Amino acid sequence: MDEDITSSDVIMLGPSCCDALAFGAKTLCGWDADGKGPSVWDTFAHQAGERIFENQTGDVTCSSYTLWEEDLKCIKQLGLTHYRFSLSWSRLLPDGTTGFVNQKGVEYYDKVIDSLLANKVTPMVTLYHFDLPQCLEDRGGWRSGATVEAFDAYAHFCFRTFGDRVKLWITINEPYVVAELGYEKGTMAPGVKEPGTGAYLSAHNMIKAHAAAWHTYDKGFRKQQGGLVSIALDSDWVEPLHPDSPADQEAAKRHIGFRLDWFATPIFLTGDYPVIMKTKISAMSKKQGCPSSRLPEFTPEEKMTIKGTADFFALNYYTTRKIKHQDYACSQPSRTGDVETEQVTDPSWPVATGSSWLAVVPWGLRHLLKYIKDTYNHPIIYITENGFSQSDPAPLDDSRRWEYFRLTLQEILKAIYIDAVRVAGYFVWSLLDNFEWTCGYGSRFGLFHVDFENAALPRVPYKSAIEYAKVIANNRLMNLHG
């Protein structure tokens, strides 16, 4: 599988409600074409078992590698101003190192970037979106400090190669998902199951890798290129299941402390983990007879290096949960046992088809934006992912889904004009239907429908795309009340 175009749709919000509206998309393509090396998701998807819906793979998906011109037509049809996409690490550096550069990969991304700019579309580029080169995983992956050095070298290569034209960079997309699902529970690539240690160790190294890449840009490229660098953090909004329960109130604080704050606190505030994480994990580790806390520690020098390594706040938001306290037997280490919470979905919330986890709660985004403003020193915020799925087969008339988007835009406007949150952009997941990780092709998030049974993989706009195009054409958020 190839995360060549991993991106989202963006509304660029400004003083007059909306300066511009742009859309990006996550589209996957030829997983082994033109010298690309294998990634952990190639390996994960090709292994036997029922890890992925109907044992589907990302071998072809939307084939943006060969059909980029068709994607560009979709972008132009919508009138986008910004487009977010990710680079495939193993397409550029097949073994994960700069020892060998795949020139075909460089030429492909040059084409993407240059054609976007030629059409007055600003690229936002993500260096890493789940697809670690398999060669690096074979040597420990994100559990190894060597991957920190390899990522920094990869980032340096990308800044040097594409930074003359790219001014918005994301280092790592959703490190929480990689840590929790990739190295703790093993339900996503690379499929490592190390409860109680895997998530913490992999997250530790991803934070250090992000900081190293930020400093590489800051010292070596910022002056001449003038770009901005951040990390995309995903989080639900949470509220106590029983608002009057002190136990549930504390549980809600722990939940966000072990989710968003896990990464945001060291990067934006202190250079170190939230106190609530350090205290809870240390206490649970002691109960389990561990000689020290299972949460790794940053050295004083590392804390100084990590603190302040983001030029804006990049947020991925999909849903909201009610949280209640839940006692766990502490005999076996696990991150779930450390946080001691249970997530509950309010039965009154609608749920997007195709994703049983995706309760539609637009007001949760406003609350989360306000939390970030108040907690992280009023940063500029890009909402780098937000979207709603449909189950397959998906109707082209997705009026219900457009209503979800409309309500979400209303909440963003409230955050801007009532809460004074500095939202700079809103990216919707995603431009095209594509391979949605363990959900395969059964979950469709695209603004454009893709017929995966047709070898030509035609792109056809859903109603939501048509409605978005109207917003873009008027250059402001209008008709949000009906």
Side-chain angles (χ1 to χ4, degrees):
M1 176 162 42
D2 185 1
E3 279 299 306
D4 275 326
I5 304 294
T6 311
S7 74
S8 332
D9 321 326
V10 57
I11 293 175
M12 300 305 297
L13 297 156
S16 61
C17 188
C18 185
D19 285 340
L21 179 63
F23 301 85
K26 166 189 173 185
T27 56
L28 307 171
C29 51
W31 71 281
D32 61 350
D34 285 345
K36 177 187 173 292
S39 76
V40 292
W41 266 95
D42 296 323
T43 303
F44 189 81
H46 286 101
Q47 289 174 337
E50 298 182 352
R51 295 177 163 191
I52 297 172
F53 178 71
E54 294 185 351
N55 289 319
Q56 294 168 342
T57 71
D59 289 0
V60 177
T61 68
C62 300
S63 197
S64 284
Y65 187 70
T66 56
L67 296 175
W68 165 245
E69 286 74 15
E70 296 303 310
D71 293 354
L72 187 59
K73 289 178 184 177
C74 295
I75 293 170
K76 293 168 69 175
Q77 183 177 342
L78 291 167
L80 311 187
T81 64
H82 288 65
Y83 187 77
R84 179 180 171 222
F85 68 93
S86 73
L87 306 175
S88 169
W89 187 345
S90 59
R91 181 174 295 287
L92 290 167
L93 309 177
D95 67 354
T97 75
T98 55
F100 172 72
V101 175
N102 179 18
Q103 192 57 37
K104 288 285 189 180
V106 173
E107 292 169 0
Y108 169 68
Y109 292 121
D110 277 337
K111 177 177 69 173
V112 171
I113 294 167
D114 290 344
S115 58
L116 288 172
L117 293 173
N119 286 279
K120 299 182 179 179
V121 179
T122 299
M124 176 184 276
V125 177
T126 301
L127 295 175
Y128 171 74
H129 191 130
F130 300 174
D131 58 336
L132 189 72
Q134 184 61 48
C135 289
L136 296 182
E137 180 58 35
D138 292 341
R139 296 194 287 272
W142 285 116
R143 294 167 294 173
S144 169
T147 302
V148 175
E149 297 178 8
F151 181 80
D152 188 29
Y154 164 59
H156 185 280
F157 168 79
C158 293
F159 297 150
R160 187 183 73 239
T161 305
F162 308 115
D164 58 327
R165 291 154 290 162
V166 175
K167 307 306 176 186
L168 292 171
W169 292 96
I170 299 292
T171 55
I172 298 172
N173 186 76
E174 298 185 348
Y176 169 84
V177 172
V178 177
E180 174 73 358
L181 303 183
Y183 289 93
E184 171 90 3
K185 295 182 177 179
T187 56
M188 290 180 66
V192 175
K193 296 180 181 180
E194 293 185 354
T197 58
Y200 300 139
L201 180 56
S202 57
H204 196 74
N205 285 322
M206 280 187 280
I207 291 170
K208 291 198 292 185
H210 159 77
W214 186 91
H215 283 288
T216 289
Y217 189 84
D218 193 54
K219 295 174 182 177
F221 299 94
R222 189 185 302 276
K223 184 176 181 180
Q224 63 266 38
Q225 295 182 357
L228 302 173
V229 180
S230 190
I231 182 171
L233 304 180
D234 67 296
S235 184
D236 304 337
W237 176 243
V238 295
E239 297 197 343
L241 178 63
H242 302 101
D244 297 329
S245 165
D248 287 0
Q249 292 170 8
E250 291 303 312
K253 293 177 183 177
R254 286 199 306 276
H255 182 92
I256 204 162
F258 274 74
R259 181 72 179 263
L260 181 67
D261 299 343
W262 182 0
F263 301 92
T265 297
I267 291 169
F268 286 87
L269 294 181
T270 67
D272 200 3
Y273 295 115
V275 172
I276 196 169
M277 282 190 73
K278 296 168 69 174
T279 302
K280 284 288 293 181
I281 298 168
S282 178
M284 292 296 282
S285 299
K286 185 176 181 180
K287 288 181 181 179
Q288 292 156 353
C290 300
S292 61
S293 175
R294 287 179 280 102
L295 181 68
E297 293 184 2
F298 294 117
T299 66
E301 293 78 13
E302 287 171 341
K303 292 176 186 178
M304 291 297 294
T305 299
I306 293 165
K307 180 180 177 181
T309 54
D311 301 319
F312 56 91
F313 201 111
L315 171 69
N316 295 357
Y317 169 83
Y318 286 92
T319 191
T320 288
R321 290 288 186 267
K322 298 289 184 70
I323 301 295
K324 71 174 183 177
H325 174 78
Q326 177 64 56
D327 289 318
Y328 280 88
C330 64
S331 57
Q332 296 299 321
S334 72
R335 199 197 69 87
T336 302
D338 292 336
V339 69
E340 290 194 311
T341 62
E342 180 180 341
Q343 301 182 45
V344 179
T345 300
D346 190 313
S348 70
W349 297 338
V351 176
T353 62
S355 300
S356 60
W357 56 271
L358 209 171
V360 180
V361 192
W363 56 260
L365 176 55
R366 178 187 174 187
H367 286 265
L368 186 56
L369 291 170
K370 179 71 161 51
Y371 175 85
I372 293 169
K373 173 201 168 186
D374 293 343
T375 306
Y376 295 105
N377 299 320
H378 200 186
I380 292 173
I381 302 172
Y382 284 84
I383 303 164
T384 37
E385 283 186 31
N386 172 249
F388 309 99
S389 62
Q390 298 187 93
S391 57
D392 185 42
L396 290 177
D397 184 355
D398 60 340
S399 299
R400 184 184 182 194
R401 192 164 63 135
W402 170 245
E403 176 67 5
Y404 296 158
F405 283 123
R406 189 182 69 82
L407 293 172
T408 299
L409 295 177
Q410 285 182 328
E411 295 299 323
I412 294 171
L413 291 179
K414 292 175 186 177
I416 295 169
Y417 293 107
I418 299 175
D419 304 330
V421 179
R422 297 198 292 170
V423 178
Y426 169 68
F427 290 73
V428 176
W429 194 267
S430 56
L431 184 70
L432 309 175
D433 290 334
N434 63 97
F435 183 82
E436 287 291 340
W437 310 114
T438 55
C439 294
Y441 303 103
S443 184
R444 291 176 175 262
F445 278 85
L447 288 173
F448 284 79
H449 176 275
V450 177
D451 183 356
F452 296 108
E453 302 300 319
N454 185 329
L457 299 171
R459 285 91 157 112
V460 179
Y462 289 104
K463 179 179 179 179
S464 56
I466 296 170
E467 295 298 327
Y468 264 121
K470 292 177 183 177
V471 176
I472 299 168
N474 289 286
N475 199 28
R476 59 188 175 129
L477 302 179
M478 55 191 305
N479 298 324
L480 288 182
H481 298 287

